[in-house]
Amino acid sequence: MTDVLFCSDVFAARHGERLRALSPQLDLVTLDGDEPVPDADIERITLAFFSHDTWPERAANFFGVAMRAEKLRWLHTMSAGVDSPIFTTFTDRGVRLTTSSGSSAAPIARTAMMYLLALSRDLPRMVRAQDRAEWDWHQWSEIGGRSIAIVGWGPIGQEVARLADAFGMRPTIVRRRAIGDEPFPVRPLADLETVAREHDVIVIALPLTPETEGIVSSDVLDAIGPDGYFVNVGRGELVDQPGLTSALVDGRLGGAGIDVTTPEPLPSDDPLWSAPNLIITPHNSGSTEQTGRRADEAFVENFERWVAGDDLVNEVTP
């Protein structure tokens, strides 16, 4: 059967010829701006690539088409996480699902380190002083020598650990169980509260699953302590968000940097916005042009495997 790939106009312009060189019979159906895709074309679609350039403005249009493509056999997404219910609708239909895991690891890990550098230097205070044209001298802390527990050992967690080590921090890996090839000490995920009590910094880089939802409880946050820092670049649902707000407001937690919240976007009247010693970014820590290019390459490499009949990389098990 001749494959018909549904993709964005941007991706088709960049990589269409490469794909046809791999599979001369390949046909493309493209999402052109906000134009509707004809029903006759939707009926022909067998493959789909949700590329970085469609997020967030054209995501709804893309998935609206993909969900109507009854012949769809394989969907590749530019994201690493697939906890959104939209992906379940495809796997429930028997559509194969693959991710671009690792493509955003570098910028997300660097964002985590940005939080730690900013919190240790009280960057928000300096920015406010600059807005007032006020010379507000103060002493700040160093992150070198501090212990850091990285919770989750996927590509993001691994890159956070590498950078933390380069900054002179003392990393500990927190995962379900040790495999034996880890470059730093390993502690079990079940001991998270104890780990939080024994480390200066906790970085969450876990996927959201039924087992990990709410894993960062108020008790875990309190265990970090008034001199410790908390970073979340996983998912907002991993954390007791009211507990995080309370810990920051009451001074039971030294500071936090988060790229994810519950819900998203975070409502303007949510008390988390006004919590002290907090840096919030709008779930964009991995949103760079280079991330999009790496995700494109991940799909092209997987497409080459598809054509050859080889196993796909980063395939999600339903």
Side-chain angles (χ1 to χ4, degrees), residues 23 32 39 49 51 67-68 70 97 129 140 149 193 222 227 245 264 275 278 298 310:
S23 177
D32 296 318
D39 289 343
F49 173 40
S51 54
M67 290 179 69
R68 293 164 55 200
E70 295 183 359
L97 176 64
W140 46 266
E193 184 177 339
D222 284 346
D227 296 320
T245 304
E264 293 181 3
L278 173 67
D310 295 335

Side-chain angles (χ1 to χ4, degrees), residues 44 84 92 95 139 317:
R44 300 189 299 119
S84 170
D92 285 349
V95 176
Q139 188 172 352
T317 301

Side-chain angles (χ1 to χ4, degrees), residues 4 15 30 39 42 56 60 106 120 134 186 199 233 239 277 296 303:
V4 179
H15 301 288
T30 57
D39 289 343
I42 294 176
S120 65
E134 180 180 313
V186 180
H199 289 74
V233 289
V239 181
N277 298 326
D296 288 356
F303 179 74

Side-chain angles (χ1 to χ4, degrees), residues 24-257:
Q25 304 302 316
L26 179 69
D27 195 4
L28 300 182
V29 171
T30 57
L31 184 67
D32 296 318
D34 292 325
E35 294 297 316
V37 178
D39 289 343
D41 282 337
I42 294 176
E43 291 175 1
R44 300 189 299 119
I45 294 170
T46 59
L47 315 176
F49 173 40
F50 177 46
S51 54
H52 203 271
D53 60 274
T54 60
W55 176 263
E57 290 84 1
R58 297 196 291 168
N61 289 348
F62 176 91
F63 282 110
V65 171
M67 290 179 69
R68 293 164 55 200
E70 295 183 359
K71 295 179 181 178
L72 184 65
R73 299 162 60 203
W74 169 37
L75 168 66
H76 184 95
T77 174
M78 55 83 181
S79 62
V82 287
D83 47 272
S84 170
I86 190 70
F87 293 110
T88 305
T89 64
F90 292 100
T91 56
D92 285 349
R93 287 169 43 190
V95 176
R96 298 177 70 179
L97 176 64
T98 54
T99 75
S100 300
S101 177
S103 63
S104 60
I108 293 176
R110 290 164 189 165
T111 299
M113 298 307 297
M114 176 194 74
Y115 295 144
L116 297 180
L117 291 170
L119 290 167
S120 65
R121 287 158 169 75
D122 201 350
L123 182 62
R125 170 179 170 176
M126 289 191 279
V127 171
R128 291 191 297 268
Q130 182 175 342
D131 288 342
R132 299 190 301 266
E134 180 180 313
W135 192 266
D136 182 17
W137 188 95
H138 66 277
Q139 188 172 352
W140 46 266
S141 303
E142 297 186 25
I143 62 173
R146 290 197 176 191
S147 58
I148 177 172
I150 297 100
V151 186
W153 195 236
I156 296 170
Q158 292 172 32
E159 182 65 6
V160 170
R162 186 188 72 82
L163 291 176
D165 183 52
F167 272 90
M169 303 185 78
R170 296 180 286 114
T172 294
I173 300 163
V174 182
R175 61 188 312 187
R176 287 184 177 85
R177 62 184 182 279
I179 301 300
D181 59 354
E182 295 90 349
F184 304 106
V186 180
R187 298 285 295 275
L189 189 59
D191 291 349
L192 183 56
E193 184 177 339
T194 302
V195 170
R197 188 172 294 109
E198 296 173 351
H199 289 74
D200 301 311
V201 177
I202 300 293
V203 175
I204 304 297
L206 285 169
L208 177 63
T209 68
E211 292 75 25
T212 60
E213 184 174 1
I215 194 168
V216 182
S217 64
S218 291
D219 289 340
V220 170
L221 293 166
D222 284 346
I224 300 172
D227 296 320
Y229 298 139
F230 171 72
V231 169
N232 186 11
V233 289
R235 288 291 187 269
E237 293 86 348
L238 298 169
V239 181
D240 178 345
Q241 190 164 290
L244 174 61
T245 304
S246 174
L248 288 167
V249 170
D250 295 343
R252 291 179 281 111
L253 176 64

